[in-house]
Amino acid sequence: MTNQLVSFIKDLYQTNEFIPLHAPCFEGNEQSYVLQTIQSTFVSSVGKFVEDFERRVETYTNSARAVATVNGTAALHTALYMAGVRPNDIVITQALTFVATCNALYHMGAEPAFVDVSPVSLGLCPKALRRFLEQHAELTKHGAVLKSTKQRIKAVVPMHTFGHPVELDELIIVCNDWQISLVEDAAESLGSFYKGQHTGTFGEYGAISFNGNKVITTGGGGIVLCKSLGSGARTKHVTTTAKVQHPYEFYHDEAGFNYRMPNLNAALGCAQIEALPKFIKNKRYLAQLYRDFFSDSEFTFVTEPKYAQSNYWLNAIICPSPQVREKLLKDTNENGVMTRPTWQLMHRLPMYKDCLKGSLVYSEFIESHLINIPSSPVKNLTGA
């Protein structure tokens, strides 16, 4: 399989050079907009491109307000803060996620608790969430708390793994039953829709990343999606050092964050989002080619759930055994095609090893069987 896969991918990308997992694509107005920013001298947190980028994301996602931040972790930290998460709170999330999901909690003094992911989406499983709550939590007049410590369970954070939307309707029902806030880690899912609605717009807040390996990039950057103009205005205030507007005085009315996206990054984002529909079409067609390639093999290509339209940020296959997975990882990387395993589960990391967790059977299966394969948009892809 290795030789066939390497040849297939190198033919797709029309190169014998090393093929990364996901590289940015700059074919539009990136240089023009960045040069305009440099010429304006407004290269930091003030400038027209920041507001322009926020408006463009609002239009694309149909969110009431989008607030740009310096990176995706800062966006998630802000979203959790705005949802009312505070020190000593418990936040339930999935163990199969990038470490930033948990680090955002850790640095605000909250604790993650881990539940399993769903075979349907590879994201947080609503059935596993309900089982966890029934076993470990109780509902009081102040909301859900852990039975053992009486700590408040303030939020549930599903992550749309590799861009595939989680089972949101079912998760919302569980969160409503237990009076827990839903905050979406949509870092990987710009351009993904759940039943026609963009991810990140279902919870109280959503957070998107624009890191260099995402569907579009601002170099580094993120954005918070807000459900109302009022919550958006407060989010903007909090992320810009909570400075009260004044022609010249510096007065700050709370301990805010300096999470402002620089105008340089926003300029890059404005050019990138102009190409987003093309990128999504290209990536979805690439996923179909991969699906066809693996259709008669022992590998299972990960496809979008039936209820969703995914951006296919990172394409993935499930190998028949951990041994086959290890061999394929080694052989492809040695032959100039970058593949990688998914993240080590969060409860295996030293800082989160003592966190409360439910059964993680499917998360452990995915950890030992899944490989990500090159997913950059392909230039001049036929059919795209």
Side-chain angles (χ1 to χ4, degrees), residues 202-253:
F202 290 82
E204 291 188 22
Y205 297 90
I208 293 175
S209 170
F210 303 114
N211 189 37
N213 66 348
K214 294 302 189 291
V215 178
I216 69 168
T217 184
T218 58
I223 210 157
V224 184
L225 303 183
C226 309
K227 292 189 77 69
S228 69
L229 292 176
S231 63
R234 174 155 165 70
T235 300
K236 187 71 170 181
H237 180 66
V238 166
T239 58
T240 54
T241 71
K243 182 180 182 296
V244 177
Q245 290 189 350
H246 189 278
Y248 49 84
E249 292 285 357
F250 285 87
Y251 179 75
H252 307 258
D253 59 5

Side-chain angles (χ1 to χ4, degrees), residues 5 64 80 116 180 246 263-264 295 351 359 365:
L5 181 58
L80 291 162
D116 212 352
I180 303 174
H246 189 278
N263 200 37
L264 271 173
S295 62
M351 56 284 198
S359 171
F365 172 82

Side-chain angles (χ1 to χ4, degrees), residues 48 83 135 181 233:
K48 70 171 186 176
Q135 180 179 356
S181 298

Side-chain angles (χ1 to χ4, degrees), residues 19-284:
I19 298 173
L21 196 67
H22 199 292
C25 182
F26 304 122
E27 297 180 341
N29 291 311
E30 288 86 359
Q31 290 190 39
S32 172
Y33 292 172
V34 170
L35 181 59
Q36 287 179 43
T37 306
I38 293 171
Q39 291 172 338
S40 76
T41 74
F42 288 96
V43 296
S44 293
S45 56
V46 177
K48 70 171 186 176
F49 283 111
V50 175
E51 183 174 345
D52 188 14
F53 184 57
E54 290 176 338
R55 300 294 86 77
R56 289 174 186 239
V57 173
E58 288 166 8
T59 299
Y60 185 85
T61 62
N62 197 30
S63 57
R65 185 72 170 87
V67 178
T69 61
V70 69
N71 55 50
T73 307
L76 183 58
H77 185 190
T78 302
L80 291 162
Y81 179 84
M82 290 298 300
V85 175
R86 295 295 182 267
N88 203 43
D89 284 346
I90 298 292
V91 175
I92 301 173
T93 189
Q94 56 202 67
L96 182 73
T97 188
F98 182 56
V99 70
T101 306
C102 294
N103 287 349
L105 297 169
Y106 179 88
H107 289 293
M108 61 195 312
E111 296 180 30
F114 302 118
V115 301
D116 212 352
V117 294
S118 166
V120 175
S121 69
L122 302 188
L124 194 119
C125 176
K127 293 178 181 177
L129 174 61
R130 188 176 290 279
R131 285 195 299 267
F132 178 90
L133 289 167
E134 290 173 348
Q135 180 179 356
H136 296 285
E138 60 185 351
L139 193 57
T140 73
K141 63 180 180 179
H142 301 295
V145 300
L146 281 185
K147 293 176 183 178
S148 56
T149 64
K150 306 305 179 186
Q151 288 171 277
R152 184 174 65 157
I153 303 174
K154 179 55 185 173
V156 168
V157 181
M159 196 271 286
H160 302 292
T161 308
F162 310 138
H164 300 300
V166 299
E167 297 157 271
L168 281 158
D169 284 346
E170 293 83 354
L171 283 174
I172 289 169
I173 290 171
V174 178
C175 288
N176 288 342
D177 287 347
W178 284 86
Q179 299 175 27
I180 303 174
S181 298
L182 179 70
V183 175
E184 292 175 72
D185 184 343
E188 303 171 358
S189 64
L190 179 68
S192 295
F193 294 81
Y194 175 88
K195 298 182 179 179
Q197 182 175 335
H198 198 280
T199 52
T201 64
F202 290 82
E204 291 188 22
Y205 297 90
I208 293 175
S209 170
F210 303 114
N211 189 37
N213 66 348
K214 294 302 189 291
V215 178
I216 69 168
T217 184
T218 58
I223 210 157
V224 184
L225 303 183
C226 309
K227 292 189 77 69
S228 69
L229 292 176
S231 63
R234 174 155 165 70
T235 300
K236 187 71 170 181
H237 180 66
V238 166
T239 58
T240 54
T241 71
K243 182 180 182 296
V244 177
Q245 290 189 350
H246 189 278
Y248 49 84
E249 292 285 357
F250 285 87
Y251 179 75
H252 307 258
D253 59 5
E254 62 179 296
F257 311 120
N258 189 5
Y259 282 169
R260 299 170 289 185
M261 177 183 281
N263 200 37
L264 271 173
N265 298 80
L268 189 64
C270 285
Q272 285 273 286
I273 202 167
E274 290 172 353
L276 180 56
K278 176 185 174 182
F279 290 163
I280 296 297
K281 186 177 180 181
N282 184 297
K283 288 172 68 60
R284 287 181 59 80

